[in-house]
Amino acid sequence: MDAQSRGRAEEIDPADQWVLNPRTGHYELQLNDSAARERPKVAAPRRSSSAPAAPTAPSPGVPGQRRGDAPPGGRRGGGRSRKGGGGGGRRKKALLITSGTLALLLVGGAAAAYLYYDHLNGNLSVTDIAGAGTGGFKKDQAINILVIGTDKRSGAGNEGYGDKDSVGHADTTILFHIAKDRSNATALSIPRDLITTIPDCPTKQPDGTTKTVRGAKGVRFNTSLGQEGRDAGCTMRTVKELTGIEVDNFMMVDFNAVKTLSTAVGGVPVCLEKDVDDEDSKLKLTKGEHKLEGEQALAFVRTRHAFGNESDLDRIKTQQQFLGSMMREMKSKETLTSPKKFFSLAEAATKSLTVDQGLGSIDKLTDLATELKDIDLKNITFTTLPVLDNPAEKVKATVVVNQGLADPLLQMIRGDVSLTEVEKKEQAAKEAADADAKAKQEALLQGNRAPAGDVRVSVYNGGGPKGAASSTLGWLQNTKGMSKASNQGNAPSKVDATQLEYAPNQADQARALADALGLPATALKMGTTDAAAKTPMKLTLGPDFQKPGTPLAPPVPQELPKDVQQAQADKAVCAK
C-alpha cells in the first residue's frame, strides 16, 4: 500500500492482523481494541494528486468507471458498515475468497483468505460488452472464460512496451474451459497472428448508445480488440466464430499484471536450458533455474527471440510454462500460509483486472472461484489452437487454422472431454457410469414406432444453422409425412447438442422421429410423467445439426491427435 495516501497506516499493517484459525483453515482479521480504534484511519490508496495513480487495466471501447474507492471495511463518505453499528466503531467487513480467484486471470490457482470486500470491489474495472457471450457462467454447466492480455501501453512504467500509438491488440488470448463436473480444465491459446474472420460487433459508446463496428475477413485475430473501436466483447464474438464455443465471461489484463502478480507471489520459478540475452525484450539470464518477478518476469513472457524458432508459437509455449509455474507457486505452502502474500495478491490481481458485468464484483468472482477450487493442477491442460503457415504468403508472417488437428481438439472442448488423465479410480467410476447410462439410452430406441401422421413435435433452433427450424419443419411435413410438426423458431436458450424431449407415453412418436432424422440415442430425453393428449414433443436443434436428412456431427473424439501441443500445469518444463 502507498504510505503517502493511507494516513496513519504505517502504525498498523493490515496484513499483520490476519491470523490463521487452525480449526477452520481460514485467515481471520483479529484486532485488539486499540487497533480497532485505529482501523478507520487505515485507508486504501486513493487516487489523488498527492499519490500516484494505481495502474489500471486497459479497456478498449467504453469501459465502466472503476468502482469507487473506499477504506477497507467501510463505505465511502460514512463510518458505518452495511450492517450498521454505532459510535466510532466500525464493524469489520471481509469476504472469503476461495481457491482460484486471485489467479484465474492467469488460468487458475488456489487461495483462501479473508480480504477486504469494498476496497477490492473498488479496484475492478468493468466493461459493458453489449450482449456478447452467454450472459455469465452457470454453476451446473461447463464454463468458458476468455483471458485477454493486451499490449496497450497503460500504467506507469510501461512506456517502452507495445506500439507507441496503438490503442492495443489481443496480444495474448487464452480460452479457459472448465469441465461441467469441475474435474478438469483446458486452457486453449489462440495465436495473435492467426488469419480469421471478425464478425460485426455491437459496442457501447460514451453516451450510452450502441454502435456496431463492421466485421472483417482475412485479418489477424489480434485486431479483434482495440482496433476500430472494438472492445473485449468483439474478441468474445470472434472466438465463437473461430471455435464454435460461446464465451461466458472475459478477464483482461495489461503488462502490469505480469509485473505486479509475479512480485506479489514472491517471484515465479523458471528453468532455462541455455543462456539468454535478448535485446528486444531485455531478457538476460544464465542457463539454469531462476525466480523472476517484475520487469524480468514481463521480459520472460514477452520474448520472441530467446527460445525455439523465435516465433509467436514458441512464445506461447513459454507463456504457458510461466503460467503453470505461477499457479504452482500460488498453491505452494509458502504462499498459502502467508497473509502478507494474500493481501498483496488481492491488490495486484484486482487492480490489474478489467472484466465484464457478469464478473464485475468480488461476490461474482468468489462464486467463480468456488467452482474452480477443487481442480487439481495435473488435470489442467495447456494447449494451442493448431495452425499452419499462411500458404498465401511468400514471407511467412501469419498463420491459418490446421483444420485436420484443430477440429478434433475443438470437438473435445465443445464436448467437455478432458485432455488429461484424471485419477484412475475416478476415471474408472466415470467410465462405468457412462457405460450404464449409454445402455439405458440405447434402450430408449427399442420398441414400437408411431405412424408418421401421429407424430406431434414442436421444432426449435437452439444453436443450429440459421433457418434450421423452418427447413426441418418443411422436410418433416413434405418428405416424411409428419404433418403435425410445427416451427417454434429460436429456443429460449441454446443447447450443446440436438435433443428431443418427450413424455413416456410419447415414446413411440420419439422413436419414429429419431428414425426420420437419424437421431442417436443420446439425443433422446424422456421425462417422468405422461403428457396430455395432443401435447407435442420438443425437438431442439443444436450446433451438431447440419440439415434435415443429414446425420448429426460425428461423436466427439476421446483422444487428441498426437501432433497437438499440450502441457499439464503441474509439470515444470525448461525453456529451450
Side-chain angles (χ1 to χ4, degrees):
M1 297 178 68
D2 186 351
Q4 298 178 23
S5 59
R6 63 178 181 173
R8 298 175 61 185
E10 65 276 6
E11 298 177 14
I12 303 173
D13 185 339
D16 287 335
Q17 308 304 316
W18 296 103
V19 178
L20 180 65
N21 185 333
R23 290 181 295 118
T24 64
H26 299 153
Y27 287 98
E28 299 174 355
L29 183 63
Q30 295 185 3
L31 302 176
N32 57 30
D33 291 342
S34 61
R37 286 192 295 271
E38 288 292 338
R39 190 74 204 131
K41 298 180 182 180
V42 182
R46 292 184 178 274
R47 292 158 175 74
S48 65
S49 58
S50 63
T56 59
S59 190
V62 183
Q65 298 292 325
R66 282 193 182 274
R67 301 180 186 274
D69 290 336
R75 286 180 168 180
R76 288 177 295 169
R80 297 167 66 96
S81 72
R82 292 182 182 175
K83 292 185 179 180
R90 183 178 303 197
R91 289 178 181 262
K92 299 182 290 292
K93 186 174 185 180
L95 177 70
L96 175 63
I97 304 294
T98 53
S99 306
T101 297
L102 303 182
L104 181 60
L105 68 150
L106 295 176
V107 200
Y114 282 101
L115 299 173
Y116 297 113
Y117 177 90
D118 284 335
H119 173 58
L120 296 182
N121 262 339
N123 285 344
L124 292 170
S125 285
V126 183
T127 294
D128 187 334
I129 54 177
T134 63
F137 75 91
K138 297 176 178 60
K139 293 181 179 298
D140 58 346
Q141 296 182 14
I143 301 173
N144 295 301
I145 305 292
L146 192 66
V147 182
I148 307 170
T150 176
D151 61 358
K152 180 180 179 180
R153 292 184 176 188
S154 62
N158 290 329
E159 295 82 2
Y161 305 129
D163 298 330
K164 180 178 180 181
D165 300 316
S166 173
V167 292
H169 302 78
D171 190 58
T172 298
T173 305
I174 299 174
L175 178 61
F176 190 45
H177 172 84
I178 301 107
K180 181 177 180 179
D181 65 4
R182 307 299 186 253
S183 67
N184 63 88
T186 299
L188 175 71
S189 293
I190 301 175
R192 67 179 187 178
D193 295 325
L194 174 68
I195 296 300
T196 190
T197 296
I198 298 175
D200 292 346
C201 300
T203 58
K204 284 291 185 179
Q205 303 301 300
D207 61 2
T209 61
T210 300
K211 173 186 176 182
T212 298
V213 180
R214 292 187 62 181
K217 294 183 178 180
V219 295
R220 278 179 166 88
F221 175 85
N222 69 349
T223 60
S224 65
L225 176 70
Q227 310 305 300
E228 300 184 28
R230 298 186 181 106
D231 62 8
C234 189
T235 307
M236 293 170 69
R237 291 181 170 93
T238 304
V239 168
K240 180 185 177 183
E241 184 90 7
L242 176 65
T243 66
I245 300 168
E246 191 162 33
V247 182
D248 297 304
N249 302 96
F250 87 88
M251 291 179 167
M252 183 164 61
V253 297
D254 69 353
F255 294 122
N256 280 309
V258 176
K259 293 193 291 187
T260 58
L261 281 168
S262 61
T263 300
V265 79
V268 177
V270 300
C271 173
L272 281 66
E273 289 194 359
K274 62 181 181 179
D275 294 344
V276 170
D277 189 357
D278 179 14
E279 289 186 7
D280 290 342
S281 68
K282 299 179 176 56
L283 179 67
K284 187 173 183 179
L285 295 170
T286 58
K287 175 182 177 180
E289 297 181 356
H290 299 269
K291 207 165 191 180
L292 306 183
E293 60 182 74
E295 294 290 345
Q296 269 197 325
L298 180 58
F300 184 82
V301 299
R302 289 186 66 242
T303 183
R304 290 186 64 173
H305 306 296
F307 307 114
N309 61 7
E310 301 186 11
S311 69
D312 187 53
L313 298 180
D314 281 293
R315 186 180 74 140
I316 287 174
K317 293 179 183 178
T318 302
Q319 291 171 346
Q320 292 175 348
Q321 293 164 12
F322 182 86
L323 298 181
S325 182
M326 177 171 276
M327 291 161 58
R328 293 191 297 274
E329 195 67 14
M330 287 181 171
K331 287 180 69 72
S332 70
K333 181 179 179 181
E334 289 75 14
T335 300
L336 292 174
T337 56
S338 172
K340 281 183 176 291
K341 283 191 177 182
F342 276 130
F343 192 85
S344 296
L345 280 168
E347 288 291 308
T350 53
K351 283 181 179 178
S352 298
L353 273 178
T354 296
V355 297
D356 61 273
Q357 291 171 311
L359 290 178
S361 72
I362 299 300
D363 274 342
K364 293 173 181 177
L365 287 171
T366 301
D367 288 343
L368 179 58
T370 302
E371 299 299 307
L372 305 177
K373 64 184 178 65
D374 294 327
I375 301 178
D376 195 304
L377 289 181
K378 68 182 178 182
N379 292 327
I380 298 177
T381 302
F382 290 102
T383 187
T384 303
L385 185 68
V387 295
L388 299 168
D389 286 335
N390 189 346
E393 296 175 336
K394 291 184 178 180
V395 178
K396 304 304 181 184
T398 62
V399 294
V400 296
V401 175
N402 181 340
Q403 297 294 163
L405 297 180
D407 286 348
L409 170 60
L410 295 176
Q411 287 175 28
M412 291 180 72
I413 296 175
R414 290 194 296 263
D416 201 29
V417 176
S418 174
L419 304 190
T420 63
E421 182 180 347
V422 296
E423 290 286 350
K424 291 184 177 180
K425 290 183 179 180
E426 294 178 2
Q427 183 69 10
K430 184 176 185 299
E431 290 175 354
D434 288 346
D436 184 55
K438 182 177 180 181
K440 291 180 179 178
Q441 283 295 131
E442 293 293 342
L444 296 178
L445 290 174
Q446 306 302 315
N448 297 327
R449 270 68 172 163
D454 292 344
V455 175
R456 296 179 182 272
V457 61
S458 295
V459 184
Y460 296 82
N461 191 346
K466 187 176 181 180
S470 177
S471 62
T472 299
L473 174 66
W475 185 82
L476 288 174
Q477 291 180 336
N478 300 325
T479 304
K480 294 298 179 179
M482 297 182 176
S483 58
K484 294 177 181 177
S486 63
N487 172 18
Q488 300 299 319
N490 290 331
S493 60
K494 295 185 177 181
V495 294
D496 295 329
T498 298
Q499 61 183 32
L500 175 61
E501 300 171 80
Y502 61 97
N505 62 337
Q506 296 173 321
D508 57 345
Q509 296 182 52
R511 296 184 192 106
L513 186 61
D515 289 347
L517 288 171
L519 299 179
T522 53
L524 274 59
K525 311 294 180 186
M526 186 172 70
T528 57
T529 58
D530 286 345
K534 299 184 179 181
T535 298
M537 301 180 293
K538 181 180 179 182
L539 173 66
T540 306
L541 306 176
D544 56 345
F545 183 84
Q546 301 174 53
K547 63 181 181 179
T550 300
L552 299 182
V556 176
Q558 299 299 303
E559 292 185 1
L560 277 179
K562 64 179 182 179
D563 292 330
V564 175
Q565 175 265 334
Q566 58 178 309
Q568 274 64 56
D570 67 322
K571 293 181 174 63
V573 179
C574 289
K576 58 183 178 180

